[in-house]
Amino acid sequence: MLSNKVVSGKWYDPYSDRNLYDADEVEIDHIVPLSWAWAHGASCWSREKRREFHNDQKFLVPMAASLNSKKGAKIPGEWSPPVTRARCGYIIKFARAVRIYGFDIPQSERDRLNRVGKDWCGERFSTTFLDAGS
C-alpha cells in the first residue's frame, strides 16, 4: 500500500531562517490562521471558496513545528517571526490574503494591523493592502 506521507526532503523556514530536513519537524503554516479566517467571514463562504483559501499556496509556508505551535491562531502583532527580516514579508502576505479574500475586519483591528505593518516594513507597507473589497 502506498502512503501519501512525505518522509524526507528539504524545507526552508523563513521565520527561523533554517533549512529543515526531517518531515516530522515541518508543519505548513496558514499565514492567515483558519480560526481567525472563520471568525472574519470564512464561515459564510461556500465550501469551494473555503477549500480554495485553505489550499492557496501563496499563503502557505513551511515552518518548524515547534514554531508553528507557538504561532497558533495568532496574527501579526500578536505573534512575530523570530527572524526580524522575515516580519515584513509575513505581514505583507497576511494583508494580501485579507484583501484577496475580502475578510471582514473591524476598523480598530485594521488600524492595529496597519501600525504593525508600518513598524515592520516602513514605507514598503501600504495601508491599501488591508482595504476591504479592493
Side-chain angles (χ1 to χ4, degrees):
M1 183 167 162
L2 294 175
S3 171
N4 290 333
K5 182 178 179 181
V6 176
V7 293
S8 66
K10 177 182 173 183
W11 300 267
Y12 176 68
D13 174 358
Y15 301 151
S16 66
D17 194 28
R18 291 184 13 216
N19 288 315
L20 306 168
Y21 299 95
D22 182 347
D24 290 334
E25 294 179 7
V26 178
E27 290 183 1
I28 303 301
D29 174 50
H30 286 87
I31 290 175
V32 175
L34 299 177
S35 61
W36 186 93
W38 188 263
H40 290 80
S43 62
C44 298
W45 294 350
S46 68
R47 181 177 289 199
E48 285 179 3
K49 186 172 180 178
R50 286 195 304 264
R51 184 179 299 122
E52 176 189 338
F53 168 72
H54 187 270
N55 294 312
D56 193 334
Q57 292 184 21
K58 293 183 302 294
F59 307 114
L60 300 174
V61 176
M63 68 188 294
S66 60
L67 194 56
N68 195 29
S69 67
K70 290 177 184 172
K71 178 181 181 272
K74 296 177 182 105
I75 63 170
E78 298 171 343
W79 179 85
S80 60
V83 173
T84 305
R85 70 179 176 274
R87 293 175 183 168
C88 182
Y90 164 57
I91 195 166
I92 285 175
K93 284 185 178 183
F94 179 92
R96 285 184 178 146
V98 164
R99 186 173 181 186
I100 288 169
Y101 287 95
F103 291 106
D104 182 24
I105 307 175
Q107 190 61 49
S108 61
E109 193 170 4
R110 189 178 303 276
D111 291 344
R112 186 172 48 81
L113 286 164
N114 281 325
R115 282 191 302 275
V116 172
K118 290 293 185 183
D119 287 348
W120 289 355
C121 301
E123 293 305 311
R124 289 179 50 207
F125 188 82
S126 169
T127 57
T128 60
F129 288 149
L130 290 166
D131 284 348
S134 300

